Amino acid sequence: MSDPGPVLSSGARYRDELVARGLLLATGVDGLYGFSNDLVRLIAAVETYVSAAGAGKYEVLRFPPVVPRVVLERSGYVRSFPDLVGAVRTFTGGDEAHHALLRTLDAGGDWTAGLGGSDVALCAAACQPLYPTITPDLPVGGRRFDVCGYVFRHEPSSDVARMLSFRQYEYVYAGDELGALAHRDHWTEVAAEMLSDLGLDVAATLASDPFFGRAGRALTATQREGALKYEVVAATAPDAPTTAITSANCHLDHFCRELGIRTAAGETAHSSCVGFGLERIAFALLFAHGPNLAGWPDRARARLAV
Amino acid sequence: MDVTAVIREVLTEEGRLGLPLADIGDLDDLYKRGLTSHASVGLMLALEDRFGIEFPDALLAKATFESIGAIRDALSTLGVVGDTAPTSVE
């Protein structure tokens, strides 16, 4: 591993270092950054690398980063992760309400209190809007999808690998139970190889989602007991624990049961997905190989064409 | 208090099993009868409300809720006992 620069004691100092180097553009809010020319190129290269791994084998679909609110409701996201949710509020009042809103704004108050709920929310996982669009009766062998998009997680942090808004590149399977497990296992292995091939020191580990509250602790225990989710972890910053840069998750029939999606044999379908965190992979690469892309190992540069 | 009857009542409300509870024996595997992990959490919270107890982390496992008998055993370790019907041996 080449020297990433001075050793920094916290996520915030490392973040400030990347800002000082011009790779990140501060916005004033932790977890929201602009990206420099080099970082944009790097993230695009990571996307191309991930995209090539599934080329031709998946139906490519894209959805906006804003989804119908009902998508978060039916997927169980609001039930399991209320602390991570972002919903869109909009102004629908008349002149009087507008003036009241401006008075609050001018007084430095919370003008968003003058907004009302809407039918849309911020997408929390790239595959979320996909499931309701899958036709109820799957063909023999199931269906395989390639989705990618911006997601939102309300977990403000100065850790660069934990942003409020980031991109996930996912390969999703919906079909029978064994197919869903095979998809997850295949991609856990392939992702670890792909990321290792870029010179990252990675490990695949059993993982669980940060389900909320007491109910969440029970769900976490069940998820771990069932060995449903695996993460490929790597270092993304100095003096910090490793971070998941890719995860592969078997949902059992959680999504398909709610949506009435069935296998060709007529049974409730199962699903699984692998999600590559494009920015997190880029940050892991920057940390491993240093901020100067021209000085990176030849192999990583060749694989990513940077 | 008939603990088993209360468990069955809560299971009817929270289990989302999609089949009559009368068809389920005390030792039947609830997960094989359609209990999902999310429904089992709803079941856990409802049992806590009903009996005024809290399942400790050590009991937050799939096995705790896998049958009516297993739930009854877990509750008894938390001091919930009563006129329990004999465990079915079918």
Side-chain angles (χ1 to χ4, degrees):
Chain A
M1 187 182 295
S2 60
D3 183 4
V7 174
L8 298 156
S9 61
S10 74
R13 287 183 59 191
Y14 184 62
R15 185 266 319 272
D16 292 347
E17 166 83 11
L18 295 181
V19 171
R21 286 181 186 275
L23 281 162
L24 289 182
L25 311 175
T27 66
V29 172
D30 279 348
L32 283 185
Y33 310 104
F35 300 145
S36 73
N37 185 65
D38 276 357
L39 193 48
V40 169
R41 277 178 50 224
L42 175 57
I43 295 167
V46 172
E47 181 177 353
T48 302
Y49 183 66
V50 173
S51 170
K57 292 175 259 178
Y58 293 80
E59 297 177 46
V60 180
L61 301 175
R62 293 293 179 265
F63 296 91
V66 177
V67 299
R69 201 176 73 186
V70 68
V71 167
L72 262 62
E73 295 163 2
R74 293 193 76 184
S75 66
Y77 200 82
V78 179
R79 190 175 298 279
S80 297
F81 309 101
D83 51 331
L84 303 183
V85 166
V88 175
R89 294 169 67 85
T90 54
F91 180 76
T92 53
D95 281 326
E96 197 178 323
H98 185 211
H99 292 152
L101 184 150
L102 292 180
R103 279 194 298 277
T104 307
L105 170 67
D106 292 340
D110 177 15
W111 57 271
T112 63
L115 306 181
S118 76
D119 291 338
V120 296
L122 304 182
C123 185
C127 60
Q128 251 175 357
L130 164 69
Y131 302 107
T133 70
I134 300 176
T135 46
D137 294 298
L138 294 168
V140 174
R143 285 176 71 184
R144 296 164 194 277
F145 305 94
D146 166 322
V147 292
C148 177
Y150 271 102
V151 302
F152 174 86
R153 304 276 173 90
H154 180 249
E155 43 181 356
S157 169
S158 56
D159 175 355
V160 290
R162 202 164 290 282
M163 296 192 294
L164 292 176
S165 180
F166 53 95
R167 263 170 296 171
Q168 286 181 331
Y169 201 114
E170 293 200 49
Y171 292 114
V172 184
Y173 171 85
D176 63 24
E177 183 176 0
L178 289 178
L181 284 169
H183 177 78
R184 180 204 61 188
D185 292 344
H186 167 76
W187 277 107
T188 302
E189 195 181 324
V190 169
E193 283 167 10
M194 284 168 62
L195 296 164
S196 178
D197 211 25
L198 296 178
L200 294 175
D201 185 9
V202 300
T205 61
L206 184 63
S208 56
D209 288 310
F211 297 108
F212 183 78
R214 265 185 60 66
R217 292 222 300 284
L219 286 171
T220 299
T222 309
Q223 191 182 31
R224 281 193 171 267
E225 210 176 318
L228 296 176
K229 181 176 181 177
Y230 288 85
E231 287 175 346
V232 178
V233 301
T236 54
D239 306 323
T242 53
T243 305
I245 55 176
T246 293
S247 67
N249 201 356
C250 186
H251 319 125
L252 302 176
D253 61 357
H254 176 66
F255 295 124
C256 294
R257 176 195 283 248
E258 168 67 22
L259 296 163
I261 300 169
R262 292 175 300 271
T263 65
E267 292 170 340
T268 297
H270 283 227
S271 61
S272 61
C273 67
V274 61
F276 292 84
L278 298 183
E279 290 87 351
R280 281 189 179 183
I281 294 170
F283 286 126
L285 288 164
L286 283 173
F287 181 60
H289 302 319
N292 176 20
L293 272 59
W296 280 17
D298 291 343
R299 186 188 186 87
R301 293 191 65 194
R303 293 282 182 277
L304 292 169
V306 290
Chain B
M1 174 174 51
D2 184 343
V3 175
T4 304
V6 177
I7 294 170
R8 284 181 170 273
E9 204 179 304
V10 175
L11 195 53
T12 307
E13 290 160 9
E14 301 289 339
R16 291 182 259 155
L17 296 181
L19 77 169
L21 217 57
D23 293 353
I24 295 178
D26 282 4
L27 296 182
D28 285 359
D29 187 327
L30 295 174
Y31 296 106
K32 287 190 179 147
R33 297 303 186 99
L35 183 70
T36 66
S37 54
H38 285 262
S40 75
V41 168
L43 177 65
M44 175 194 91
L45 296 173
L47 289 167
E48 290 186 341
D49 283 351
R50 199 63 177 265
F51 292 109
I53 47 107
E54 195 166 285
F55 288 97
D57 282 6
L59 284 179
L60 300 185
K62 209 173 173 186
T64 303
F65 305 96
E66 76 181 356
S67 70
I68 291 168
I71 295 169
R72 196 172 53 219
D73 290 346
L75 287 171
S76 75
T77 69
L78 301 173
V80 177
V81 286
D83 288 335
T84 57
T87 299
S88 152
V89 288
E90 61 203 329

